[in-house]
Amino acid sequence: MKRAPLKKACVIGWPIEHSRSPAIHGYWLKRYAIDGSYDKRAVPPEEIESFLSSLAAEGLAGCNVTVPHKEAAFRLAAVREASAEAVGAANTLWLDEAGRLCAANTDTYGYMTYLATRAEDWSRRTAPVSILGAGGAARAIVYGFLEAGVTEIRVFNRSAERAEALARDFGPRVKALPWEQRSRASTEAAVLVNTTSVGLKGAGSLEMDFTDFHPDCIVSDIVYVPLETGLIRDARRHGLRTVDGLGMLLHQAVPGFEKWFGVRPEVTAELYDLIAADIEAA
Ligand code: ATR
């Protein structure tokens, strides 16, 4: 007999207070009238292993994973999707029929889906893609562009070694360039993405010079607090199309919800406005 699906999930992190995942999944649980719950759990680093081994006993179908547990979640999973393998970190876990812990990294899906929603024609022009940053988020997005068939990805990172390591891991289509060249070497880019934390809560500036950029370049930021980052504002002033970071957060939540609750949820304008209002109020 097939077991009834479990209807409990959560997000784990340390700290976890500021996670917006409960608001996102709570919206969908209500919208689809699912008898389920999604809460947040503060799990200290020394307890991650025992927490993950007790998911079934806790009645949890799975969880989202945030800082600092993404690498541990990847390591402890028995089955890993290609997305998690590419990044070396997982943000979505679930138990399969056999009770094995499965891991995915849905940042790739979240980023690429929102980009396609907001700028359907992003790949029309054959041109490089520029990535600022070389952390976990950068890896997820580089993987997405490689899968989409982009022939050249330029990675700019403050510390050169990290960009070089990323380029080595992903092969010859990915090139590490000096941080100082992030504007000059991006003028022909089809898409430029900020994956660094610069601009978060208004702190710091990427000091991009958009003067000679191709008019069809799309500038996107994965930082979503504030919704309009300094980068997005500067790009808009230069007449460039922009893609904010909130959509990636919403879309990356879709696969997890479907695994745990059995319904593929929709990222609606209402959900976007709900979370945007929460960010603006904070
Ligand atoms: P994530 O997993 O979310 O990508 P991360 O691994 O901590 O986070 O990576 C943060 C990224 O932001 C890195 O590329 C980091 O650059 P370094 O590798 O040189 O540390 C980048 N970053 C953070 N603060 C920065 C700053 N003030 N200027 C430029 N880059 C910065």
Side-chain angles (χ1 to χ4, degrees), residues 238-258:
H238 281 85
L240 300 173
R241 270 192 297 166
T242 60
V243 178
D244 63 81
L246 178 55
M248 174 183 174
L249 175 76
L250 303 178
H251 283 280
Q252 65 75 33
V254 167
F257 189 92
E258 185 179 26

Side-chain angles (χ1 to χ4, degrees), residues 19-278:
S19 173
R20 290 193 164 82
S21 292
I24 297 169
H25 291 280
Y27 167 85
W28 284 328
L29 285 170
K30 201 163 149 206
R31 180 180 165 90
Y32 298 105
I34 292 170
D35 187 17
S37 71
Y38 183 103
D39 56 16
K40 49 190 170 198
R41 310 259 180 119
V43 176
E46 62 276 14
E47 287 174 22
I48 182 69
E49 191 163 355
S50 63
F51 180 85
L52 293 182
S53 56
S54 67
L55 284 182
E58 293 261 337
L60 287 159
C63 61
N64 279 128
V65 182
T66 187
V67 181
H69 299 316
K70 291 185 182 186
E71 285 82 12
F74 170 76
R75 225 178 25 250
L76 294 164
V79 183
R80 298 157 179 157
E81 285 194 348
S83 57
E85 293 282 4
V87 183
N91 69 349
T92 304
L93 300 173
W94 67 98
L95 296 171
D96 69 6
E97 293 282 319
R100 293 177 305 177
L101 185 65
C102 304
N105 192 311
T106 64
D107 282 342
T108 304
Y109 169 84
Y111 180 80
M112 298 307 291
T113 305
Y114 191 52
L115 178 65
T117 306
R118 291 287 312 280
E120 198 189 0
D121 59 343
W122 70 265
S123 61
R124 194 183 49 193
R125 196 162 49 89
T126 305
V129 165
S130 283
I131 309 279
L132 308 183
R139 283 180 178 263
I141 291 170
V142 164
Y143 177 65
F145 281 118
L146 285 174
E147 289 286 287
V150 170
T151 51
E152 185 177 346
I153 300 172
R154 299 179 179 173
V155 177
F156 305 85
N157 196 54
R158 180 180 56 180
S159 38
E161 318 81 68
R162 221 167 161 201
E164 283 153 15
L166 190 154
R168 259 195 316 276
D169 290 351
F170 283 98
R173 282 194 282 159
V174 182
K175 297 185 170 53
L177 276 88
W179 179 243
E180 297 68 36
Q181 290 181 18
R182 63 195 180 281
S183 295
R184 220 173 337 131
S186 299
T187 54
E188 285 307 309
V191 184
L192 175 128
V193 192
N194 172 45
T195 74
T196 76
S197 47
V198 178
L200 180 63
K201 296 181 182 158
S205 165
L206 287 160
E207 290 167 12
M208 287 296 300
D209 177 4
F210 290 117
T211 314
D212 296 322
F213 269 52
H214 192 288
D216 291 335
C217 178
I218 293 149
V219 175
S220 80
D221 202 331
I222 71 159
V223 171
Y224 55 85
V225 182
L227 266 179
E228 186 181 74
T229 59
L231 180 77
I232 296 278
R233 200 172 46 242
D234 287 353
R236 272 209 191 118
R237 281 193 189 131
H238 281 85
L240 300 173
R241 270 192 297 166
T242 60
V243 178
D244 63 81
L246 178 55
M248 174 183 174
L249 175 76
L250 303 178
H251 283 280
Q252 65 75 33
V254 167
F257 189 92
E258 185 179 26
K259 298 272 188 213
W260 310 316
F261 301 114
V263 174
R264 189 155 188 93
E266 191 190 344
V267 174
T268 59
E270 185 186 36
L271 173 61
Y272 185 97
D273 292 345
L274 181 81
I275 306 299
D278 185 49

